[in-house]
């Protein structure tokens, strides 16, 4: 899926201008983000954690296709949260529906690191999509 949610104000984000790395926990899979290749796919904001997860072959659930209309892409940004765009009110509203939210919680489809620092992201066990989907 993928697309635009016409009912929300689009999130603002600064895309990276240099390569950086994202580590996905618990598996420890690492993706080196190349700004020249963004977006990698069609789900979520360009350069979002969801976009990067798919590039790394990491399964992250995304029931609404990455348009900030569910909370299935909930992730916890363990390191580098300060390099990510600010969460919008719409994202915070959706996060209210997620399980076990922490102060480091974000929606993977709306969270875009700017590449000034490497990032470590934990995907909660209930958000790991065990079924491969066609992109
Ligand atoms: S995939 Fe639905 S809010 Fe991110």
């Amino acid at each position: 899926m993928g697309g635009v949610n016409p009912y929300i104000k689009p999130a603002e984000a600064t895309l990276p201008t240099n390569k950086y790395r994202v580590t996905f926990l618990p598996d420890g899979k690492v993706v080196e983000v190349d700004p020249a290749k963004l977006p990698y796919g069609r789900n979520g904001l360009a350069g979002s954690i969801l976009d990067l997860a798919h590039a790394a072959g990491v399964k992250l659930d995304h029931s609404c296709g990455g348009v900030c209309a569910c909370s299935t892409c909930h992730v916890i940004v363990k390191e580098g949260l300060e390099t990510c765009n600010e969460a919008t009110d719409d994202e915070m509203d959706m996060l209210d529906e997620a399980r076990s939210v922490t102060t480091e919680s974000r929606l993977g489809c709306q969270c875009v690191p700017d590449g000034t620092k490497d990032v470590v992201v934990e995907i909660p066990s209930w958000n790991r999509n065990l079924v491969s989907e066609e992109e």
Side-chain angles (χ1 to χ4, degrees):
M1 202 161 112
V4 175
N5 184 342
Y7 302 106
I8 64 169
K9 184 178 170 210
E12 295 180 8
T14 302
L15 290 174
T17 56
N18 53 283
K19 291 182 179 179
Y20 73 102
R21 291 173 181 230
V22 179
T23 302
F24 289 95
L25 302 176
D27 298 338
K29 193 156 191 178
V30 178
V31 60
E32 183 175 82
V33 180
D34 182 349
K37 294 181 179 175
L38 295 177
Y40 286 109
R42 297 183 304 129
N43 291 306
L45 297 177
S48 66
I49 297 297
L50 178 62
D51 190 25
L52 305 178
H54 287 178
V58 173
K59 305 298 182 194
L60 173 59
D61 208 353
H62 54 286
S63 295
C64 75
V67 297
C68 196
C70 70
S71 60
T72 58
C73 64
H74 172 207
V75 296
I76 299 167
V77 184
K78 307 287 258 185
E79 294 178 26
L81 182 60
E82 70 277 13
T83 71
C84 300
N85 61 334
E86 194 171 329
T88 64
D89 289 344
D90 293 307
E91 179 180 348
M92 297 304 284
D93 287 347
M94 282 298 145
L95 269 175
D96 282 345
E97 307 297 322
R99 290 169 58 181
S100 302
V101 172
T102 76
T103 56
E104 300 167 324
S105 290
R106 293 292 305 268
L107 291 181
C109 67
Q110 302 298 301
C111 179
V112 181
D114 67 10
T116 55
K117 188 177 171 186
D118 290 346
V119 173
V120 177
V121 176
E122 179 181 356
I123 299 176
S125 59
W126 54 87
N127 284 19
R128 289 177 216 140
N129 188 341
L130 302 178
V131 178
S132 291
E133 301 175 7
E134 290 295 318
E135 292 299 314

